[in-house]
Amino acid sequence: MTEQARTQDPDVKPDPDFAPIAERIRDSVGRQGFMGHVGAELSELARGSCTLAVDRRPELLQQHGLFHGGVTAFLVDNATTIAAATSRGQPALTAEYKLNLLSPASGERLICRARVIKPGRQVAVVAADVFCVIDGIEKHTATALASIAMLPGEVTARIQSPAA
């Protein structure tokens, strides 16, 4: 569900405090060179959740024509960190994650949906599920659980951005 659809749903209360957080996150993600390199897109963003997706391209496949496990791992790594950052608007870094590959990732597209299980001031716990899209049908290909380190804003202010 998109931000716009969430705000139109009568059961979902508008969250005006989230708009500046979402803008900062989208700007930050836009500066990630690896997102562009992989061709991933931030398709949905809401408080406590994030969806990333990537279309099939030959350079993302392994020798059997399946999405490489590294693409799945990247989506999990990034989506869980982004989802954690939505909770309070804090910068975040992955501390660890456990990834279970459930089935081969084939198809036209990979989609990773991450959701915060437990927000925290220092560590957030985030779950993610990855699906491949085959002929318009989603197939569950991976699941993960991540611990995300929540950083104070002044820490990231001291780190020079590669785009700077």
Side-chain angles (χ1 to χ4, degrees):
M1 183 180 295
T2 64
E3 288 174 76
Q4 184 178 5
R6 283 184 192 280
T7 58
Q8 293 174 351
D9 185 338
D11 296 329
V12 176
K13 293 182 178 148
D15 185 357
D17 296 333
F18 184 65
I21 292 170
E23 184 177 346
R24 278 195 313 272
I25 289 171
R26 288 184 185 281
D27 288 345
S28 177
V29 170
R31 290 190 306 271
Q32 289 183 11
F34 202 68
M35 279 283 288
H37 182 70
V38 171
E41 66 182 43
L42 175 56
S43 57
E44 293 183 24
L45 186 65
R47 178 110 38 201
S49 67
C50 169
T51 301
L52 297 179
V54 65
D55 290 329
R56 178 186 182 93
R57 296 190 344 256
E59 54 271 24
L60 301 180
L61 308 179
Q62 44 89 300
Q63 70 275 17
H64 301 295
L66 305 169
F67 279 98
H68 192 283
V71 177
T72 297
F74 162 71
L75 291 174
V76 164
D77 179 23
N78 225 22
T80 55
T81 303
I82 294 167
T86 67
S87 293
R88 291 188 175 90
Q90 290 176 254
L93 290 174
T94 303
E96 67 85 30
Y97 62 87
K98 165 75 167 89
L99 174 62
N100 290 298
L101 300 171
L102 306 174
S103 64
S106 57
E108 308 91 51
R109 187 170 177 83
L110 273 186
I111 300 170
C112 179
R113 295 186 183 98
R115 66 201 176 287
V116 175
I117 303 299
K118 173 76 168 83
R121 287 186 199 142
Q122 295 183 328
V123 177
V125 177
V126 185
D129 292 292
V130 181
F131 303 86
C132 62
V133 179
I134 304 169
D135 297 326
I137 298 171
E138 292 185 5
K139 177 183 171 189
H140 199 189
T141 62
T143 191
L145 189 63
S147 297
I148 306 299
M150 304 308 295
L151 305 175
E154 62 272 8
V155 169
T156 56
R158 293 190 311 252
I159 301 170
Q160 184 175 359
S161 171

